[in-house]
Amino acid sequence: MTQTLTLKDRDLFWPPADELTEAAERIRARLGDWPPTHAPWRICLTAPDEPNGGDLIVIADAQQHGEQVARWLVRGAGVIEAAEDKATLHLGGEKYRLEGHLAEDWVAALAAFLDCGFDPHDALVLALAWRDGDETRADDAFPADLSHFPRLAGLPDALAQAFPRCPDRLGLYPVLPTAEWVERVVGFGVKTVQLRRKSSEPAEELKREIARCVAVGRQHDAQVFINDHWQAALEAGAYGVHLGQEDVHTADLAALAAGGVRLGLSTHGFYEILRALHFRPSYIALGAVFPTTTKVMPTAPQGLRRLARYVRLLDGVVPLVAIGGIDLQVLPDVLATGVGCAAVVRAVTEAADPAAAVSALQQGFTR
């Protein structure tokens, strides 16, 4: 049972629209048990006199409202340009361009997904995945058919051939800070690891570190991924590289594919999942599942409920990796979502006995 149906207790739409509110409540009731958001959003079908930072102003053509749009954005509001089968969200200096079906109830669906706590760009993706009447077909009508999801416009062309696919269930995936750690953990029998070096070390030292990792991977028949440093990884003949969302625009993906390098991509929500799928990677990382101190995250923790939704949507489509704040205590809950791989950092590198920690984590995948 949904925790809250308090949509009528606040201004969801401008101008107020009882029918839209009722439709949003019907949809929200079928989306599952999501904690209500406290974000002060409002969907404006007519521009308000004084937009605020929570407003999403829906218009048909941004060019016709050029100066107004600029003022709205400066005030912190978002603008959704929606017409025919296209919707573009202008927010925070970014443009999120989507192409797909706009159901008659798409605005009500957008309100329902915003109330579930999804950021505007992810809520808009889900609203375009919505189909009129979905709320009548199941107790849980959350979008789970990838063919219904919108396409992202304005992306670079994808490669003609997908990157080599990783095993569907990669298992334990330690992310490690040095080649010494990689050698140590691979020696414990781990078959998938990642070198993530964030220091500004000299290029030659970095290349030596990567070469050591590649060598130990070949020696132990392990799959070693290199984070970020794709050029050095390619030169060293690494098994794979792991990149962030921003890196796909600067890395030479064609050269990586030609070199037979596997590609893993980070994602932090539905919009970024669609962007990652466009580039046909070897696996997609989903996170951060829990709070983490190992890096500054661009989004709030996703949590197990969202992870389960991602797995349900993408199972069989691409191998998946859960990442972020995962340790032995929460590993059973993570694996219960159906994900076949969990990346860990501190659960290994800060363990009093790393060998014992690795053994316990590996056993978690066999239960």
Side-chain angles (χ1 to χ4, degrees):
M1 180 62 183
T2 301
Q3 287 186 14
T4 180
L5 284 178
T6 58
L7 297 177
K8 287 182 180 177
D9 295 339
R10 49 167 297 192
D11 292 331
L12 302 182
F13 302 100
W14 178 260
D18 290 343
E19 289 187 6
L20 271 177
T21 299
E22 291 171 1
E25 284 195 332
R26 287 196 304 271
I27 295 170
R28 175 69 173 86
R30 298 298 189 183
L31 295 182
D33 194 10
W34 297 86
T37 182
H38 299 292
W41 58 267
R42 180 176 64 164
I43 299 174
C44 302
L45 305 179
T46 300
D49 293 334
E50 294 293 334
N52 60 52
D55 283 344
L56 295 173
I57 303 170
V58 181
I59 60 177
D61 187 346
Q63 291 185 344
Q64 293 181 359
H65 302 267
E67 292 185 4
Q68 282 183 303
V69 168
R71 286 199 301 272
W72 296 334
L73 295 176
V74 167
R75 294 288 296 271
V79 174
I80 298 176
E81 191 177 3
E84 297 180 353
D85 290 333
K86 296 180 181 180
T88 300
L89 170 64
H90 306 253
L91 182 64
E94 300 289 338
K95 287 185 182 181
Y96 304 91
R97 299 171 57 190
L98 307 176
E99 295 180 350
H101 177 67
L102 283 170
E104 183 177 343
D105 277 350
W106 79 270
V107 173
L110 175 64
F113 290 117
L114 288 167
D115 188 66
C116 290
F118 290 96
D119 290 336
H121 58 291
D122 284 332
L124 185 59
V125 166
L126 292 166
L128 267 68
W130 186 258
R131 296 294 181 268
D132 290 322
D134 275 358
E135 75 278 11
T136 67
R137 299 191 181 106
D139 288 339
D140 178 3
F142 200 95
D145 185 341
L146 191 59
S147 69
H148 288 178
F149 275 66
R151 300 172 301 281
L152 305 192
L155 296 179
D157 291 340
L159 301 179
Q161 186 171 357
F163 279 87
R165 188 181 178 97
C166 286
D168 285 338
R169 309 190 75 80
L170 283 166
L172 180 64
Y173 186 0
V175 178
L176 304 165
T178 65
E180 181 179 356
W181 265 109
V182 169
E183 291 167 343
R184 189 177 181 186
V185 171
V186 168
F188 297 154
V190 176
K191 290 302 182 183
T192 304
V193 299
Q194 181 186 134
L195 174 71
R196 184 166 73 186
R197 292 191 70 90
K198 296 296 184 180
S199 60
S200 55
E201 61 196 325
E204 290 306 313
E205 182 178 342
L206 174 65
K207 289 180 179 180
R208 285 194 294 271
E209 285 276 293
I210 291 175
R212 284 177 62 183
C213 293
V214 171
V216 74
R218 290 173 177 165
Q219 179 183 350
H220 292 269
D221 193 26
Q223 301 163 155
V224 178
F225 286 84
I226 307 299
N227 185 283
D228 284 352
H229 303 289
W230 63 269
Q231 290 129 316
L234 179 61
E235 292 172 5
Y239 175 86
V241 299
H242 181 94
L243 300 178
Q245 289 273 315
E246 66 283 355
D247 299 318
V248 295
H249 300 290
T250 55
D252 189 340
L253 299 186
L256 290 172
V261 179
R262 274 70 174 173
L263 174 66
L265 290 178
S266 294
T267 67
H268 310 90
F270 285 103
Y271 182 89
E272 291 192 358
I273 284 171
L274 294 182
R275 185 158 61 181
L277 287 174
H278 172 79
F279 295 103
R280 306 169 73 186
S282 306
Y283 74 76
I284 286 177
L286 307 165
V289 181
F290 303 106
T292 176
T293 61
T294 59
K295 61 185 295 189
V296 177
M297 299 306 301
T299 58
Q302 300 290 305
L304 291 169
R305 186 179 285 108
R306 294 194 188 195
L307 176 61
R309 293 294 179 181
Y310 303 148
V311 173
R312 181 177 175 184
L313 179 68
L314 299 173
D315 188 35
V317 176
V318 62
L320 302 174
V321 176
I323 188 170
I326 299 172
D327 58 20
L328 184 61
Q329 181 177 358
V330 299
L331 181 62
D333 296 327
V334 170
L335 297 182
T337 67
V339 72
C341 177
V344 299
V345 184
R346 290 178 298 153
V348 171
T349 61
E350 295 184 8
D353 185 342
V358 165
S359 177
L361 288 163
Q362 287 179 315
Q363 289 176 22
F365 287 86
T366 62
R367 291 173 186 153

